[in-house]
Amino acid sequence: MADAVLDHLVLATPDLESTAAEVAALTGVRPVPGGGHPGRGTRNALLGLGDGAYLEIIGPDPAQPAPEGPRWFGIDSLAGPRLAHWAVRVHGMAGHVARARALGYDPGEPVTMSRRTPDGGTLSWTLTPPRAGGLVPFLLDWGDAPHPAAGEALPVVRLRAFSGTHPDPATIRAELAALGTALTVEAGDEPGLTAVLEGRNGRVSIGAGAGTP
């Protein structure tokens, strides 16, 4: 079974329009609208990261009623943008979940998600629920759906570095290994993720300790 590969980074925010504008100012590249997630109370904007990955900026969708439960990625309690999570792409979700469980990590039961696309269509996929903390990624299987970063659909900024901090890096590394992926995780007081992006304005950092956006 092939290992999981980076699918996307999740930049969560209480104000999608404002954060998308901040990212555009930082990188010199403007994110494009993605769409709303029916029933989840969120919508997103996207930037390609190269190598088949992308940055998802996700926040509340004012066109939807408030969801029955909390919005994912802690959006309801955020005071500002946060690099909250990341996803790895797999093929054959059931097999990857079974392998992780056999290795001592339970990624949770997969659920089906969808969003409306700007052209009025619907994009669907399967994922495992994002866990608190964000250091251990959720699994995502696009099945037969077109990938958001395929072709020339997204403007691109390059992902030059991606790392994390955690009070117990060894535990995080073991859980990452169970999922068939890896991330540089150093010791730190709080869990956090940092990404270095390179756009038209040079290299910028987002996430823990970066201060921006």
Side-chain angles (χ1 to χ4, degrees), residues 16-17 35-43 59-67 71 116:
L16 178 59
E17 295 297 335
H37 305 100
R40 298 286 178 179
T42 54
R43 61 191 176 108
D61 184 356
Q64 293 188 53
R71 293 175 175 88
R116 296 182 296 271

Side-chain angles (χ1 to χ4, degrees), residues 14-77:
D15 186 331
L16 178 59
E17 295 297 335
S18 174
T19 300
E22 289 181 56
V23 170
L26 280 172
T27 63
V29 182
R30 182 169 296 279
V32 299
H37 305 100
R40 298 286 178 179
T42 54
R43 61 191 176 108
N44 62 19
L46 310 175
L47 270 182
L49 295 175
D51 298 322
Y54 66 98
L55 174 69
E56 176 185 32
I57 308 168
I58 184 170
D61 184 356
Q64 293 188 53
E68 294 182 0
R71 293 175 175 88
W72 279 0
F73 310 117
I75 286 172
D76 295 325
S77 60

Side-chain angles (χ1 to χ4, degrees), residues 16-182:
L16 178 59
E17 295 297 335
S18 174
T19 300
E22 289 181 56
V23 170
L26 280 172
T27 63
V29 182
R30 182 169 296 279
V32 299
H37 305 100
R40 298 286 178 179
T42 54
R43 61 191 176 108
N44 62 19
L46 310 175
L47 270 182
L49 295 175
D51 298 322
Y54 66 98
L55 174 69
E56 176 185 32
I57 308 168
I58 184 170
D61 184 356
Q64 293 188 53
E68 294 182 0
R71 293 175 175 88
W72 279 0
F73 310 117
I75 286 172
D76 295 325
S77 60
L78 290 177
R82 177 175 178 266
L83 192 57
H85 227 301
W86 59 300
V88 290
R89 184 165 64 253
V90 300
H91 299 287
M93 176 68 79
H96 281 271
V97 169
R99 183 182 78 164
R101 288 172 175 167
L103 293 173
Y105 177 72
D106 185 357
E109 287 296 321
V111 298
T112 298
M113 286 276 295
S114 67
R115 70 170 167 85
R116 296 182 296 271
T117 57
D119 63 6
T122 300
L123 190 63
S124 299
W125 62 91
T126 303
L127 54 71
T128 55
R131 298 293 181 87
L135 271 291
V136 181
F138 54 97
L139 304 177
L140 192 156
D141 189 342
W142 289 99
D144 296 328
H147 191 268
E152 299 179 359
L154 300 180
V156 174
V157 297
R158 291 289 172 179
L159 178 63
R160 296 306 187 191
F162 179 49
S163 61
T165 58
H166 193 272
D168 184 8
T171 296
I172 299 300
R173 292 176 192 134
E175 293 174 348
L176 292 168
L179 291 178
T181 192

Side-chain angles (χ1 to χ4, degrees), residues 195-211:
V196 178
L197 310 179
E198 185 169 14
R200 294 180 186 140
N201 296 340
R203 296 193 177 193
V204 296
S205 294
I206 62 172

